[in-house]
């Protein structure tokens, strides 16, 4: 399964539109405009829903859990997952 980002979808639509516009002389006005109308609408929808650039203030926390690698090497994945599930609410309280 391939996951396509909004930027990749937008770029793909722009490239498709440019490729069709380059065929204008060969295919004629009616064919090109008929093909381009839905593509341009999709592009407008993407641009309106997800602006190309947005700036947001973000804070990141990087944490190292002492002994975590050693602990997880000899533990079942479900046990590690449970440990982390119990740890996060406690960390959230400290952070907030």
């Amino acid at each position: 399964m391939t996951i396509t980002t909004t930027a990749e979808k937008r770029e793909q639509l722009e490239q498709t539109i440019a490729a069709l516009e380059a065929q204008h002389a060969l295919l004629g006005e009616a064919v090109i405009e008929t093909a381009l109308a839905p593509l341009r609408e999709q592009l407008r929808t993407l641009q309106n829903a997800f602006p190309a650039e947005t700036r947001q203030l973000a804070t990141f926390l990087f944490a190292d859990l002492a002994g975590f690698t050693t602990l997880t090497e000899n533990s079942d994945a479900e046990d590690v997952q449970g440990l982390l599930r119990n740890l996060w609410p406690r960390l959230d309280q400290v952070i907030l």
Side-chain angles (χ1 to χ4, degrees):
M1 180 170 109
T2 302
I3 298 175
T4 305
T5 66
T6 303
E8 290 170 334
K9 287 179 188 177
R10 201 177 346 212
E11 184 178 338
Q12 186 178 28
L13 278 168
E14 290 169 348
Q15 289 175 355
T16 302
I17 289 169
L20 276 171
E21 287 173 339
Q23 300 300 317
H24 195 271
L26 178 66
L27 299 174
E29 180 80 20
V31 172
I32 293 297
E33 289 307 314
T34 301
L36 287 178
L39 294 173
R40 287 180 177 147
E41 182 58 33
Q42 286 179 23
L43 185 58
R44 269 192 298 279
T45 300
L46 275 178
Q47 289 170 334
N48 291 338
F50 303 99
E53 293 183 20
T54 59
R55 290 182 177 217
Q56 296 180 346
L57 181 61
T59 302
F60 295 89
L61 170 67
F62 295 93
D64 183 18
L65 302 175
F68 185 75
T69 302
T70 304
L71 173 71
T72 60
E73 287 175 341
N74 300 314
S75 300
D76 289 330
E78 292 83 10
D79 293 337
V80 173
Q81 195 174 32
L83 176 70
L84 291 174
R85 216 178 271 123
N86 290 328
L87 175 65
W88 281 117
R90 293 178 185 183
L91 288 175
D92 285 346
Q93 287 177 352
V94 173
I95 293 166
L96 295 173

